[in-house]
Amino acid sequence: ASRVKGHTDLIEDGINGWLFEYDNENEFAESVLKLIGDRRKAKDMGSAGKEMVRQFEIETVLPKVMHEYLL
């Protein structure tokens, strides 16, 4: 993903994805080729990404949000 706010909040470079400079097509292509060439890394990154986003599931977030509104 491009190295912009939002992406940098969710992606740990090399762990659950790769970050590259905005509008850098070469870095993007290199990242895709790395994933194609290393299926294990692709699977590991996918698993890490799934684990990371669990903190944003509605069951996790809703109680926290409601607590803030009901203070």
Side-chain angles (χ1 to χ4, degrees), residues 17-48:
W18 280 302
L19 294 167
F20 50 87
E21 294 307 312
Y22 178 78
D23 207 23
N24 189 325
E25 294 143 2
N26 290 331
E27 279 188 284
F28 169 73
E30 288 171 13
S31 297
V32 171
L33 291 173
K34 282 193 257 183
L35 289 175
I36 291 170
D38 188 345
R39 301 305 294 165
R40 181 79 237 162
K41 182 69 170 175
K43 185 173 181 171
D44 289 347
M45 281 186 163
S47 296

Side-chain angles (χ1 to χ4, degrees), residues 2-69:
S2 54
R3 194 180 310 278
V4 296
K5 183 76 174 143
H7 295 167
T8 57
D9 294 332
L10 297 173
I11 297 172
E12 293 181 64
D13 197 33
I15 305 298
N16 63 347
W18 280 302
L19 294 167
F20 50 87
E21 294 307 312
Y22 178 78
D23 207 23
N24 189 325
E25 294 143 2
N26 290 331
E27 279 188 284
F28 169 73
E30 288 171 13
S31 297
V32 171
L33 291 173
K34 282 193 257 183
L35 289 175
I36 291 170
D38 188 345
R39 301 305 294 165
R40 181 79 237 162
K41 182 69 170 175
K43 185 173 181 171
D44 289 347
M45 281 186 163
S47 296
K50 286 177 188 175
E51 189 61 37
M52 192 275 203
V53 298
R54 288 179 195 245
Q55 64 185 311
F56 300 106
E57 290 177 339
I58 191 72
E59 295 84 7
T60 304
V61 174
L62 185 59
K64 295 175 184 177
V65 171
M66 293 309 295
H67 174 74
E68 292 300 318
Y69 279 106

